[in-house]
Amino acid sequence: MFAVSDEGTAPSATLVIFGATGDLTRRLLVPSLANLMRDGLLARDFTILGVSFEPGDDLRLRETLGEFCQECGPAWSDLQSRIHYVEGDFLDDATYAAVGAKLADIGHGSAGFYLAVAPKFFGEIAERLGRAGLLEERDGAFRRICIEKPFGHDLASARALNARLLAVADETQIYRIDHFLGKETVQNIMVTRFANNLLEAVWNHRYIDHVQITAAETVGVEKRGSYYDATGALRDMVPNHLFQLLAAIGMEPPNSFGAEAIRTEKAKVIEAIRRVKPHEAEQYSARGRYGTGRSGETEVVAYDAEPNVDPAGSTETYVALKLYVDNWRWAGVPFFLRTGKRLSARDTEIVVAFKPAPYALFHDTAASRLPPNIMTIQIQPDEGLSLSLSAKKPGPRIDIVPVDLAFSYADRFKVGRSTGYETLLYDMLVGDQTLFQRADMIESGWAAVQPFLEGWVSGGEVETYEAGGAGPAGADRLIGREGRAWHRLG
Ligand code: BG6
């Protein structure tokens, strides 16, 4: 059960941020906390305790974070006075003693520890928090850990990290972040499906031909070459973000809106993703790496020429997969997933393509082919939902054309400024784990991509695609084998 007051305010607590001077804290965490403050969702005595190895003090951290919060308004000045700092090495037990002393000083029993740090520190910090007794929940107060991605590098490392965390904390204390789950449109998928009987009736292999899940970006690898080159598009986006979208589309109706009921249904879908054999990896995937080209009006360099990237390596910046979900509802329905950098448009969307209506009726008409019904869930940008139906073009002949029924969030709702992290931080503070990954979801996600990681080691093609284009031709071949085509980007 969540601890939320009548006004929806989260209980008094301290958020301890490891990596308090880093990019994530400045760009996302602090502005999100200021937004929550503005909306009256944080307790009036909510406190931030920053931890980092950089020399500094309370005042300095307040100033540094303030620079990134210039548009945060009066909520910020209120919050700013409750920011504290502990300088220390994450691998030194003395740091944890100092954090413990500071927490005792602040006086809230409840604390969330947010690990906004490099992944190599996740297990280390959690173990040290455990050893210092900081994860013990006493007198009704909570102690929770938030872990950023990447959660592991493959199946074995994800299992090992789960084991380390679960040795010092209970699953109910662990909040594994997948920021896609903080997106409003992603949260809406479940409501769209289960609050509209019309849709649920046709949401299965009898009516759905295939599903496409796309996360296309126009940006390149930016300053993250050393992380990305060791990671690649598959690890970076698929077992986490894209599988969460797949789970929302594929899950069975949960018994309730309780966190465990929802996570159990999602976990079952991820678990049901067919595990291909490593030698089949090439047949079910396509990979690419961006070459030179354009991003808008600007000429851009190839991935090979980006800083901190091995030009002779084979890290993919684009991946497309053909997957099956082996259960009753989805038997035989292919799920095509694709994600890549330096593509023609920023476009995160899910396309559900329905089977065409039986054709016989239109046989003797001018309708040479029936366009299938397509439902598009636009996750970003221009969040919304559209459904293409077939209509008769006015005129003496039966001429059938697709027409759109469309809904846009911006037109329908007054959407306030948000980073997407507000919901996640608030949920952590009130103890709602619905939008966080459970250990089993993470592990089955990795288990489904593991055969690709293994299969690709023995070769296969990583095609060069033009920056600013639609991605490698191999991805078109992958989806095109049975006459299907990708939805146009943008
Ligand atoms: C991150 C990936 O998790 O998600 C990035 O590491 C990617 O490579 C980003 O750019 C995409 O998120 P969003 O919210 O911008 O679509």
Side-chain angles (χ1 to χ4, degrees):
M1 271 296 106
F2 322 152
V4 189
S5 72
D6 289 347
E7 301 77 36
T9 310
S12 292
T14 303
L15 185 70
V16 183
I17 306 178
F18 284 85
T21 51
D23 214 37
L24 180 78
T25 307
R26 295 167 180 189
R27 282 193 309 109
L28 289 167
L29 301 186
V30 170
S32 309
L33 291 167
N35 288 344
L36 288 172
M37 198 85 199
R38 175 200 64 199
D39 295 342
L41 294 170
L42 295 183
R44 293 209 63 82
D45 58 354
F46 173 80
T47 307
I48 296 178
L49 174 56
V51 186
S52 158
F53 61 90
E54 284 183 33
D57 53 28
D58 295 357
L59 215 60
R60 180 120 161 235
L61 184 63
R62 289 173 193 178
E63 273 169 20
T64 317
L65 297 180
E67 283 169 32
F68 291 83
C69 217
Q70 277 164 4
E71 288 164 26
C72 295
W76 170 248
S77 31
D78 202 19
L79 182 57
Q80 202 168 18
S81 60
R82 290 194 308 283
I83 295 181
H84 302 278
Y85 188 63
V86 164
E87 176 193 331
D89 186 335
F90 301 150
L91 303 183
D92 181 354
D93 286 344
T95 305
Y96 299 81
V99 168
K102 198 79 189 188
L103 279 176
D105 241 23
I106 294 168
H108 300 138
S110 294
F113 298 96
Y114 200 112
L115 311 195
V117 297
K120 64 176 181 198
F121 292 117
F122 293 164
E124 299 289 340
I125 294 178
E127 280 169 0
R128 284 173 173 78
L129 286 170
R131 274 213 297 274
L134 295 174
L135 296 176
E136 278 165 36
E137 298 189 310
R138 283 194 217 107
D139 308 324
F142 68 76
R143 291 295 166 107
R144 300 179 182 139
I145 320 178
C146 266
I147 312 268
E148 268 293 332
K149 67 167 281 251
F151 196 100
H153 191 67
D154 54 15
L155 179 57
S157 56
R159 277 191 181 142
L161 181 55
N162 271 330
R164 283 177 90 178
L165 295 174
L166 288 164
V168 293
D170 190 76
E171 180 64 44
T172 55
Q173 295 175 275
I174 305 172
Y175 288 68
R176 300 175 190 80
I177 300 257
D178 183 322
H179 81 278
F180 263 48
L181 291 174
K183 295 181 194 288
E184 193 60 52
T185 15
V186 175
Q187 293 174 50
N188 190 35
I189 297 174
M190 203 168 64
V191 176
T192 303
R193 284 192 51 201
F194 301 129
N196 295 296
N197 212 12
L198 172 76
L199 288 180
E200 197 42 32
V202 293
W203 210 256
N204 58 54
H205 66 96
R206 283 188 287 280
Y207 294 98
I208 293 179
D209 175 72
H210 75 280
V211 176
Q212 297 182 18
I213 300 178
T214 299
E217 299 183 278
T218 51
V219 291
V221 68
E222 301 187 294
K223 291 180 190 146
R224 300 162 73 220
S226 42
Y227 156 76
Y228 197 86
D229 207 39
T231 306
L234 177 73
R235 287 185 168 99
D236 189 40
M237 296 291 289
V238 177
N240 38 57
H241 307 326
L242 297 197
F243 280 4
Q244 283 300 321
L245 301 184
L246 184 151
I249 289 294
M251 70 194 280
E252 293 304 312
N255 286 352
S256 73
F257 263 114
E260 284 323 296
I262 292 174
R263 297 201 300 175
T264 298
E265 293 308 332
K266 287 187 173 174
K268 278 158 69 179
V269 181
I270 302 175
E271 173 68 28
I273 296 173
R274 185 181 302 170
R275 303 192 183 161
V276 300
K277 302 275 177 293
H279 72 266
E280 298 170 320
E282 290 298 325
Q283 181 191 337
Y284 287 97
S285 68
R287 283 175 288 163
R289 190 169 160 102
Y290 60 82
T292 54
R294 307 188 78 81
S295 175
E297 295 305 303
T298 321
E299 277 191 28
V300 292
V301 298
Y303 178 72
D304 294 358
E306 298 278 17
N308 301 318
V309 156
D310 174 7
S314 61
T315 300
E316 79 288 352
T317 61
Y318 179 106
V319 63
L321 300 179
K322 177 181 180 182
L323 299 174
Y324 286 94
V325 174
D326 284 331
N327 63 18
W328 186 285
R329 187 187 285 265
W330 296 110
V333 178
F335 283 71
F336 294 99
L337 276 53
R338 63 178 164 163
T339 181
K341 297 208 181 278
R342 282 272 184 256
L343 295 171
S344 57
R346 177 164 183 252
D347 185 3
T348 307
E349 63 170 29
I350 302 171
V351 167
V352 179
F354 289 87
K355 292 184 175 169
Y359 187 57
L361 180 62
F362 298 97
H363 203 251
D364 296 327
T365 73
S368 55
R369 63 176 190 93
L370 285 181
N373 298 137
I374 289 186
M375 182 165 149
T376 308
I377 301 172
Q378 190 68 40
I379 289 160
Q380 60 192 17
D382 307 328
E383 293 82 348
L385 196 134
S386 70
L387 184 62
S388 88
L389 299 175
S390 292
K392 177 180 169 297
K393 201 168 157 189
R397 296 188 319 163
I398 301 269
D399 205 351
I400 300 178
V401 289
V403 292
D404 267 0
L405 303 181
F407 142 74
S408 135
Y409 270 75
D411 292 349
R412 178 63 181 78
F413 301 111
K414 205 168 142 268
V415 189
R417 199 182 55 222
S418 86
T419 64
Y421 268 74
E422 287 84 356
T423 319
L424 299 175
L425 285 164
Y426 176 76
D427 286 358
M428 190 274 286
L429 291 169
V430 300
D432 181 350
Q433 290 186 299
T434 312
L435 300 180
F436 296 86
Q437 298 234 56
R438 213 167 55 186
D440 56 341
M441 295 160 106
I442 296 252
E443 291 181 16
S444 20
W446 279 114
V449 301
Q450 189 68 29
F452 294 98
L453 297 173
E454 287 170 19
W456 291 347
V457 172
S458 48
E461 194 186 2
V462 184
E463 237 177 288
T464 301
Y465 60 93
E466 189 188 358
D476 295 333
R477 288 194 295 274
L478 180 76
I479 198 170
R481 272 181 221 137
E482 290 140 27
R484 302 181 178 100
W486 292 110
H487 197 232
R488 218 162 63 88
L489 292 180

PDB file of all heavy atoms in Angstrom, residues 367 369-371 388-394 398-404:
ATOM      1  N   ALA A 367     -11.612  -1.319 -55.843  1.00  0.00           N
ATOM      2  CA  ALA A 367     -10.660  -1.374 -54.723  1.00  0.00           C
ATOM      3  C   ALA A 367      -9.632  -2.448 -55.010  1.00  0.00           C
ATOM      4  O   ALA A 367      -9.878  -3.628 -54.821  1.00  0.00           O
ATOM      5  CB  ALA A 367     -11.409  -1.685 -53.434  1.00  0.00           C
ATOM      6  N   ARG A 369      -6.799  -2.991 -53.605  1.00  0.00           N
ATOM      7  CA  ARG A 369      -6.317  -3.642 -52.387  1.00  0.00           C
ATOM      8  C   ARG A 369      -6.912  -2.916 -51.187  1.00  0.00           C
ATOM      9  O   ARG A 369      -7.188  -1.715 -51.250  1.00  0.00           O
ATOM     10  CB  ARG A 369      -4.791  -3.612 -52.301  1.00  0.00           C
ATOM     11  CG  ARG A 369      -4.250  -2.238 -52.230  1.00  0.00           C
ATOM     12  CD  ARG A 369      -2.770  -2.180 -52.060  1.00  0.00           C
ATOM     13  NE  ARG A 369      -2.439  -0.791 -51.771  1.00  0.00           N
ATOM     14  CZ  ARG A 369      -2.328  -0.279 -50.568  1.00  0.00           C
ATOM     15  NH1 ARG A 369      -2.483  -1.030 -49.513  1.00  0.00           N
ATOM     16  NH2 ARG A 369      -2.051   0.997 -50.395  1.00  0.00           N
ATOM     17  N   LEU A 370      -7.122  -3.658 -50.117  1.00  0.00           N
ATOM     18  CA  LEU A 370      -7.703  -3.049 -48.925  1.00  0.00           C
ATOM     19  C   LEU A 370      -6.579  -2.634 -47.990  1.00  0.00           C
ATOM     20  O   LEU A 370      -5.772  -3.470 -47.600  1.00  0.00           O
ATOM     21  CB  LEU A 370      -8.587  -4.049 -48.188  1.00  0.00           C
ATOM     22  CG  LEU A 370      -9.935  -4.345 -48.807  1.00  0.00           C
ATOM     23  CD1 LEU A 370     -10.692  -5.334 -47.935  1.00  0.00           C
ATOM     24  CD2 LEU A 370     -10.751  -3.063 -48.946  1.00  0.00           C
ATOM     25  N   PRO A 371      -6.503  -1.346 -47.629  1.00  0.00           N
ATOM     26  CA  PRO A 371      -5.463  -0.972 -46.665  1.00  0.00           C
ATOM     27  C   PRO A 371      -5.796  -1.583 -45.304  1.00  0.00           C
ATOM     28  O   PRO A 371      -6.961  -1.559 -44.905  1.00  0.00           O
ATOM     29  CB  PRO A 371      -5.541   0.550 -46.623  1.00  0.00           C
ATOM     30  CG  PRO A 371      -6.819   0.936 -47.284  1.00  0.00           C
ATOM     31  CD  PRO A 371      -7.340  -0.229 -48.044  1.00  0.00           C
ATOM     32  N   SER A 388      -6.075   4.211 -38.247  1.00  0.00           N
ATOM     33  CA  SER A 388      -6.467   4.404 -39.646  1.00  0.00           C
ATOM     34  C   SER A 388      -7.522   3.373 -40.002  1.00  0.00           C
ATOM     35  O   SER A 388      -7.370   2.182 -39.744  1.00  0.00           O
ATOM     36  CB  SER A 388      -5.242   4.338 -40.562  1.00  0.00           C
ATOM     37  OG  SER A 388      -5.006   3.019 -40.935  1.00  0.00           O
ATOM     38  N   LEU A 389      -8.595   3.881 -40.566  1.00  0.00           N
ATOM     39  CA  LEU A 389      -9.716   3.028 -40.977  1.00  0.00           C
ATOM     40  C   LEU A 389      -9.846   3.165 -42.493  1.00  0.00           C
ATOM     41  O   LEU A 389      -9.259   4.062 -43.095  1.00  0.00           O
ATOM     42  CB  LEU A 389     -11.006   3.498 -40.313  1.00  0.00           C
ATOM     43  CG  LEU A 389     -11.039   3.471 -38.782  1.00  0.00           C
ATOM     44  CD1 LEU A 389     -12.337   4.072 -38.266  1.00  0.00           C
ATOM     45  CD2 LEU A 389     -10.890   2.041 -38.272  1.00  0.00           C
ATOM     46  N   SER A 390     -10.630   2.310 -43.080  1.00  0.00           N
ATOM     47  CA  SER A 390     -10.855   2.433 -44.521  1.00  0.00           C
ATOM     48  C   SER A 390     -12.174   3.146 -44.768  1.00  0.00           C
ATOM     49  O   SER A 390     -13.156   2.901 -44.072  1.00  0.00           O
ATOM     50  CB  SER A 390     -10.903   1.049 -45.161  1.00  0.00           C
ATOM     51  OG  SER A 390      -9.636   0.466 -45.088  1.00  0.00           O
ATOM     52  N   ALA A 391     -12.172   4.040 -45.739  1.00  0.00           N
ATOM     53  CA  ALA A 391     -13.412   4.749 -46.061  1.00  0.00           C
ATOM     54  C   ALA A 391     -13.574   4.801 -47.581  1.00  0.00           C
ATOM     55  O   ALA A 391     -12.595   4.659 -48.322  1.00  0.00           O
ATOM     56  CB  ALA A 391     -13.358   6.159 -45.503  1.00  0.00           C
ATOM     57  N   LYS A 392     -14.783   5.026 -47.985  1.00  0.00           N
ATOM     58  CA  LYS A 392     -15.028   5.133 -49.436  1.00  0.00           C
ATOM     59  C   LYS A 392     -14.784   6.567 -49.871  1.00  0.00           C
ATOM     60  O   LYS A 392     -15.271   7.520 -49.261  1.00  0.00           O
ATOM     61  CB  LYS A 392     -16.474   4.748 -49.731  1.00  0.00           C
ATOM     62  CG  LYS A 392     -16.856   4.891 -51.189  1.00  0.00           C
ATOM     63  CD  LYS A 392     -18.293   4.500 -51.405  1.00  0.00           C
ATOM     64  CE  LYS A 392     -18.751   4.892 -52.804  1.00  0.00           C
ATOM     65  NZ  LYS A 392     -18.738   6.323 -53.054  1.00  0.00           N
ATOM     66  N   LYS A 393     -13.989   6.711 -50.881  1.00  0.00           N
ATOM     67  CA  LYS A 393     -13.740   8.039 -51.427  1.00  0.00           C
ATOM     68  C   LYS A 393     -15.014   8.462 -52.146  1.00  0.00           C
ATOM     69  O   LYS A 393     -15.570   7.665 -52.923  1.00  0.00           O
ATOM     70  CB  LYS A 393     -12.585   7.920 -52.420  1.00  0.00           C
ATOM     71  CG  LYS A 393     -11.876   9.190 -52.710  1.00  0.00           C
ATOM     72  CD  LYS A 393     -10.608   8.846 -53.466  1.00  0.00           C
ATOM     73  CE  LYS A 393     -10.131  10.036 -54.261  1.00  0.00           C
ATOM     74  NZ  LYS A 393      -9.047   9.658 -55.153  1.00  0.00           N
ATOM     75  N   PRO A 394     -15.518   9.686 -51.900  1.00  0.00           N
ATOM     76  CA  PRO A 394     -16.772  10.066 -52.549  1.00  0.00           C
ATOM     77  C   PRO A 394     -16.674   9.959 -54.074  1.00  0.00           C
ATOM     78  O   PRO A 394     -15.649  10.304 -54.661  1.00  0.00           O
ATOM     79  CB  PRO A 394     -16.948  11.530 -52.119  1.00  0.00           C
ATOM     80  CG  PRO A 394     -16.141  11.669 -50.880  1.00  0.00           C
ATOM     81  CD  PRO A 394     -14.996  10.733 -51.023  1.00  0.00           C
ATOM     82  N   ILE A 398     -16.475   2.386 -56.143  1.00  0.00           N
ATOM     83  CA  ILE A 398     -16.053   1.986 -54.787  1.00  0.00           C
ATOM     84  C   ILE A 398     -14.535   2.109 -54.757  1.00  0.00           C
ATOM     85  O   ILE A 398     -13.814   1.266 -55.265  1.00  0.00           O
ATOM     86  CB  ILE A 398     -16.457   0.525 -54.481  1.00  0.00           C
ATOM     87  CG1 ILE A 398     -17.958   0.319 -54.583  1.00  0.00           C
ATOM     88  CG2 ILE A 398     -15.917   0.087 -53.119  1.00  0.00           C
ATOM     89  CD1 ILE A 398     -18.727   0.530 -53.302  1.00  0.00           C
ATOM     90  N   ASP A 399     -14.108   3.210 -54.242  1.00  0.00           N
ATOM     91  CA  ASP A 399     -12.671   3.459 -54.152  1.00  0.00           C
ATOM     92  C   ASP A 399     -12.349   3.580 -52.661  1.00  0.00           C
ATOM     93  O   ASP A 399     -12.879   4.467 -51.989  1.00  0.00           O
ATOM     94  CB  ASP A 399     -12.367   4.769 -54.890  1.00  0.00           C
ATOM     95  CG  ASP A 399     -10.930   4.788 -55.364  1.00  0.00           C
ATOM     96  OD1 ASP A 399     -10.179   3.885 -54.962  1.00  0.00           O
ATOM     97  OD2 ASP A 399     -10.559   5.714 -56.101  1.00  0.00           O
ATOM     98  N   ILE A 400     -11.537   2.665 -52.146  1.00  0.00           N
ATOM     99  CA  ILE A 400     -11.331   2.626 -50.700  1.00  0.00           C
ATOM    100  C   ILE A 400      -9.985   3.248 -50.325  1.00  0.00           C
ATOM    101  O   ILE A 400      -8.952   2.871 -50.872  1.00  0.00           O
ATOM    102  CB  ILE A 400     -11.420   1.173 -50.198  1.00  0.00           C
ATOM    103  CG1 ILE A 400     -12.810   0.628 -50.551  1.00  0.00           C
ATOM    104  CG2 ILE A 400     -11.185   1.091 -48.698  1.00  0.00           C
ATOM    105  CD1 ILE A 400     -13.037  -0.801 -50.158  1.00  0.00           C
ATOM    106  N   VAL A 401     -10.040   4.193 -49.401  1.00  0.00           N
ATOM    107  CA  VAL A 401      -8.792   4.862 -48.991  1.00  0.00           C
ATOM    108  C   VAL A 401      -8.690   4.861 -47.461  1.00  0.00           C
ATOM    109  O   VAL A 401      -9.703   4.826 -46.772  1.00  0.00           O
ATOM    110  CB  VAL A 401      -8.746   6.328 -49.480  1.00  0.00           C
ATOM    111  CG1 VAL A 401      -8.568   6.415 -50.974  1.00  0.00           C
ATOM    112  CG2 VAL A 401      -9.968   7.103 -49.018  1.00  0.00           C
ATOM    113  N   PRO A 402      -7.446   4.911 -46.928  1.00  0.00           N
ATOM    114  CA  PRO A 402      -7.317   5.000 -45.470  1.00  0.00           C
ATOM    115  C   PRO A 402      -7.616   6.420 -44.975  1.00  0.00           C
ATOM    116  O   PRO A 402      -7.216   7.393 -45.601  1.00  0.00           O
ATOM    117  CB  PRO A 402      -5.851   4.637 -45.213  1.00  0.00           C
ATOM    118  CG  PRO A 402      -5.150   4.764 -46.516  1.00  0.00           C
ATOM    119  CD  PRO A 402      -6.158   4.798 -47.615  1.00  0.00           C
ATOM    120  N   VAL A 403      -8.343   6.512 -43.875  1.00  0.00           N
ATOM    121  CA  VAL A 403      -8.578   7.818 -43.223  1.00  0.00           C
ATOM    122  C   VAL A 403      -8.180   7.673 -41.763  1.00  0.00           C
ATOM    123  O   VAL A 403      -8.219   6.574 -41.215  1.00  0.00           O
ATOM    124  CB  VAL A 403     -10.060   8.255 -43.313  1.00  0.00           C
ATOM    125  CG1 VAL A 403     -10.450   8.576 -44.737  1.00  0.00           C
ATOM    126  CG2 VAL A 403     -10.987   7.196 -42.728  1.00  0.00           C
ATOM    127  N   ASP A 404      -7.812   8.793 -41.141  1.00  0.00           N
ATOM    128  CA  ASP A 404      -7.275   8.727 -39.772  1.00  0.00           C
ATOM    129  C   ASP A 404      -8.223   9.274 -38.717  1.00  0.00           C
ATOM    130  O   ASP A 404      -8.794  10.347 -38.902  1.00  0.00           O
ATOM    131  CB  ASP A 404      -5.993   9.563 -39.702  1.00  0.00           C
ATOM    132  CG  ASP A 404      -4.780   8.698 -39.950  1.00  0.00           C
ATOM    133  OD1 ASP A 404      -4.965   7.477 -40.162  1.00  0.00           O
ATOM    134  OD2 ASP A 404      -3.666   9.238 -39.918  1.00  0.00           O
TER     135      ASP A 404
END
